[in-house]
Amino acid sequence: MPVQNCRPARVSAPSPGLDRFNTASPAAAEAALLGCCGSHRWAQRLAAHRPYPDLGALLAAADEAGYDLDPADLAEALAAEDSPGLHHAAPPSAHLALSAAHAAYESRFGHVFVICLDAFLPSEHPDQVLAGIRARLGHDLDEERVVTADEMRRLARGRIIELMTDKDPADTP
Protein backbone atom coordinates (compact mmCIF):
# COMPACT_ATOMS: atom_id res chain seq x y z
CA MET A 1 0.00 0.00 0.00
CA PRO A 2 1.58 3.33 -0.96
CA VAL A 3 1.49 5.58 2.07
CA GLN A 4 2.71 9.00 2.98
CA ASN A 5 5.21 8.28 5.70
CA CYS A 6 6.78 10.32 8.41
CA ARG A 7 8.84 8.86 11.21
CA PRO A 8 9.32 9.84 14.85
CA ALA A 9 12.50 11.81 15.37
CA ARG A 10 15.69 10.36 16.79
CA VAL A 11 17.73 13.52 16.61
CA SER A 12 20.71 13.06 18.92
CA ALA A 13 22.58 10.17 17.30
CA PRO A 14 25.33 11.00 14.80
CA SER A 15 24.27 10.33 11.25
CA PRO A 16 26.50 9.24 8.38
CA GLY A 17 23.62 10.31 6.13
CA LEU A 18 23.80 13.82 7.54
CA ASP A 19 27.54 13.92 6.89
CA ARG A 20 26.96 12.87 3.26
CA PHE A 21 24.15 15.43 2.96
CA ASN A 22 26.29 18.23 4.39
CA THR A 23 29.13 17.51 1.94
CA ALA A 24 27.01 16.81 -1.15
CA SER A 25 26.92 19.26 -4.02
CA PRO A 26 24.17 21.86 -3.78
CA ALA A 27 22.32 20.19 -6.67
CA ALA A 28 22.55 16.74 -5.07
CA ALA A 29 21.41 18.05 -1.67
CA GLU A 30 18.48 19.87 -3.26
CA ALA A 31 17.50 16.78 -5.27
CA ALA A 32 17.53 14.66 -2.11
CA LEU A 33 15.38 17.21 -0.30
CA LEU A 34 12.87 17.37 -3.16
CA GLY A 35 12.15 13.72 -2.37
CA CYS A 36 11.08 14.88 1.09
CA CYS A 37 9.01 17.89 0.00
CA GLY A 38 8.35 18.91 -3.59
CA SER A 39 8.81 22.66 -3.07
CA HIS A 40 11.93 23.90 -4.85
CA ARG A 41 12.15 27.00 -2.65
CA TRP A 42 11.98 24.83 0.49
CA ALA A 43 14.67 22.47 -0.81
CA GLN A 44 16.93 25.31 -1.98
CA ARG A 45 16.64 27.06 1.36
CA LEU A 46 17.61 23.94 3.33
CA ALA A 47 20.45 23.06 0.95
CA ALA A 48 21.82 26.61 1.12
CA HIS A 49 22.05 26.60 4.92
CA ARG A 50 24.30 23.54 5.18
CA PRO A 51 26.20 22.27 7.05
CA TYR A 52 23.86 21.26 9.85
CA PRO A 53 25.53 20.23 13.13
CA ASP A 54 23.00 17.47 13.78
CA LEU A 55 19.70 16.06 12.63
CA GLY A 56 17.79 18.17 15.14
CA ALA A 57 19.12 21.37 13.56
CA LEU A 58 18.16 20.15 10.08
CA LEU A 59 14.66 19.23 11.27
CA ALA A 60 14.24 22.63 12.95
CA ALA A 61 15.31 24.35 9.72
CA ALA A 62 12.90 22.14 7.73
CA ASP A 63 10.04 23.08 10.04
CA GLU A 64 10.86 26.78 9.79
CA ALA A 65 11.08 26.58 6.00
CA GLY A 66 7.80 24.66 5.98
CA TYR A 67 6.05 27.38 7.96
CA ASP A 68 7.30 29.91 5.41
CA LEU A 69 5.79 28.13 2.39
CA ASP A 70 3.52 30.48 0.50
CA PRO A 71 0.45 29.11 -1.30
CA ALA A 72 2.37 28.62 -4.56
CA ASP A 73 5.13 26.68 -2.75
CA LEU A 74 2.56 24.49 -1.01
CA ALA A 75 0.80 23.87 -4.33
CA GLU A 76 4.13 22.85 -5.87
CA ALA A 77 4.82 20.46 -2.98
CA LEU A 78 1.33 18.97 -3.22
CA ALA A 79 1.70 18.47 -6.98
CA ALA A 80 4.65 16.16 -6.23
CA GLU A 81 2.60 14.00 -3.85
CA ASP A 82 0.66 10.83 -4.56
CA SER A 83 -2.60 10.13 -2.80
CA PRO A 84 -2.29 7.35 -0.23
CA GLY A 85 -3.78 4.20 -1.66
CA LEU A 86 -4.49 0.57 -0.90
CA HIS A 87 -2.54 -2.61 -1.43
CA HIS A 88 -3.43 -4.05 -4.84
CA ALA A 89 -4.92 -7.14 -3.14
CA ALA A 90 -7.49 -5.10 -1.19
CA PRO A 91 -11.12 -5.82 -2.08
CA PRO A 92 -12.49 -3.94 -5.09
CA SER A 93 -15.10 -2.27 -2.87
CA ALA A 94 -12.33 -0.76 -0.72
CA HIS A 95 -10.55 0.58 -3.82
CA LEU A 96 -13.82 2.06 -5.04
CA ALA A 97 -14.57 3.73 -1.69
CA LEU A 98 -11.07 5.20 -1.43
CA SER A 99 -11.12 6.36 -5.04
CA ALA A 100 -14.46 8.12 -4.50
CA ALA A 101 -13.21 9.76 -1.30
CA HIS A 102 -10.05 11.02 -3.02
CA ALA A 103 -12.09 12.34 -5.95
CA ALA A 104 -14.43 14.23 -3.60
CA TYR A 105 -11.47 15.71 -1.70
CA GLU A 106 -9.60 16.73 -4.84
CA SER A 107 -12.75 18.24 -6.32
CA ARG A 108 -13.34 20.31 -3.18
CA PHE A 109 -9.77 21.45 -2.49
CA GLY A 110 -8.00 21.16 -5.84
CA HIS A 111 -5.09 18.99 -4.68
CA VAL A 112 -4.30 15.51 -3.43
CA PHE A 113 -5.06 14.49 0.12
CA VAL A 114 -1.97 14.19 2.32
CA ILE A 115 -1.73 12.56 5.71
CA CYS A 116 1.09 11.22 7.85
CA LEU A 117 0.24 7.68 8.91
CA ASP A 118 3.22 6.72 11.05
CA ALA A 119 1.25 6.73 14.28
CA PHE A 120 -0.86 3.88 12.92
CA LEU A 121 -0.31 0.23 12.11
CA PRO A 122 -0.34 -0.57 8.38
CA SER A 123 -3.60 -2.46 8.85
CA GLU A 124 -5.17 0.79 10.11
CA HIS A 125 -4.00 2.96 7.20
CA PRO A 126 -7.05 2.51 4.93
CA ASP A 127 -9.46 3.38 7.73
CA GLN A 128 -7.35 6.36 8.81
CA VAL A 129 -7.15 7.70 5.26
CA LEU A 130 -10.91 7.37 4.74
CA ALA A 131 -11.67 8.88 8.15
CA GLY A 132 -9.21 11.71 7.50
CA ILE A 133 -10.71 12.54 4.13
CA ARG A 134 -14.24 12.44 5.49
CA ALA A 135 -13.37 14.68 8.44
CA ARG A 136 -11.39 17.13 6.37
CA LEU A 137 -14.07 17.45 3.69
CA GLY A 138 -15.95 19.47 6.32
CA HIS A 139 -13.18 22.07 6.52
CA ASP A 140 -13.40 25.42 4.80
CA LEU A 141 -10.60 26.24 2.36
CA ASP A 142 -8.50 28.21 4.85
CA GLU A 143 -8.80 25.60 7.58
CA GLU A 144 -7.83 22.81 5.18
CA ARG A 145 -4.86 24.79 3.89
CA VAL A 146 -3.51 24.98 7.45
CA VAL A 147 -4.09 21.26 8.09
CA THR A 148 -2.55 20.32 4.74
CA ALA A 149 0.54 22.45 5.38
CA ASP A 150 0.94 20.82 8.79
CA GLU A 151 0.66 17.33 7.27
CA MET A 152 3.24 18.28 4.64
CA ARG A 153 5.66 19.44 7.39
CA ARG A 154 5.13 16.15 9.24
CA LEU A 155 5.71 14.15 6.08
CA ALA A 156 8.84 16.14 5.23
CA ARG A 157 10.26 15.66 8.75
CA GLY A 158 9.76 11.92 8.60
CA ARG A 159 11.23 11.67 5.13
CA ILE A 160 14.27 13.71 6.18
CA ILE A 161 14.81 11.42 9.15
CA GLU A 162 14.55 8.40 6.88
CA LEU A 163 16.92 9.99 4.35
CA MET A 164 19.50 10.91 6.97
CA THR A 165 19.41 7.56 8.75
CA ASP A 166 19.54 5.36 5.64
CA LYS A 167 22.82 3.55 5.23
CA ASP A 168 25.00 4.34 2.26
CA PRO A 169 24.83 1.32 -0.07
CA ALA A 170 28.65 1.43 -0.22
CA ASP A 171 28.74 0.84 3.55
CA THR A 172 26.83 -2.43 3.42
CA PRO A 173 28.80 -5.70 3.20
Side-chain angles (χ1 to χ4, degrees):
M1 169 176 165
V3 296
Q4 296 161 331
N5 284 324
C6 57
R7 302 274 180 235
R10 289 176 290 143
V11 298
S12 59
S15 168
L18 182 62
D19 291 339
R20 283 191 309 277
F21 173 73
N22 279 334
T23 58
S25 71
E30 186 178 330
L33 289 165
L34 283 171
C36 300
C37 176
S39 164
H40 282 83
R41 190 168 71 95
W42 179 89
Q44 289 166 348
R45 179 174 168 177
L46 291 177
H49 286 94
R50 294 172 306 142
Y52 293 95
D54 55 38
L55 183 54
L58 174 56
L59 292 173
D63 283 345
E64 183 179 329
Y67 283 112
D68 290 343
L69 291 178
D70 64 25
D73 297 323
L74 183 57
E76 180 183 31
L78 288 166
E81 291 293 320
D82 291 322
S83 297
L86 297 174
H87 187 275
H88 68 278
S93 59
H95 284 282
L96 184 60
L98 187 60
S99 178
H102 279 297
Y105 180 90
E106 290 178 25
S107 174
R108 174 145 168 72
F109 296 111
H111 58 79
V112 299
F113 175 77
V114 292
I115 188 170
C116 182
L117 297 169
D118 282 345
F120 304 99
L121 297 171
S123 62
E124 298 172 323
H125 289 179
D127 290 337
Q128 291 302 318
V129 170
L130 282 170
I133 291 172
R134 287 181 183 136
R136 288 167 54 186
L137 278 170
H139 291 172
D140 63 36
L141 294 176
D142 290 334
E143 184 179 15
E144 183 56 21
R145 188 171 318 142
V146 170
V147 172
T148 298
D150 187 51
E151 290 295 326
M152 284 300 304
R153 279 188 297 279
R154 292 177 61 211
L155 289 167
R157 281 181 65 88
R159 292 167 180 169
I160 288 170
I161 292 166
E162 193 170 295
L163 179 69
M164 296 303 145
T165 56
D166 277 349
K167 289 185 176 181
D168 184 347
D171 293 342
T172 58

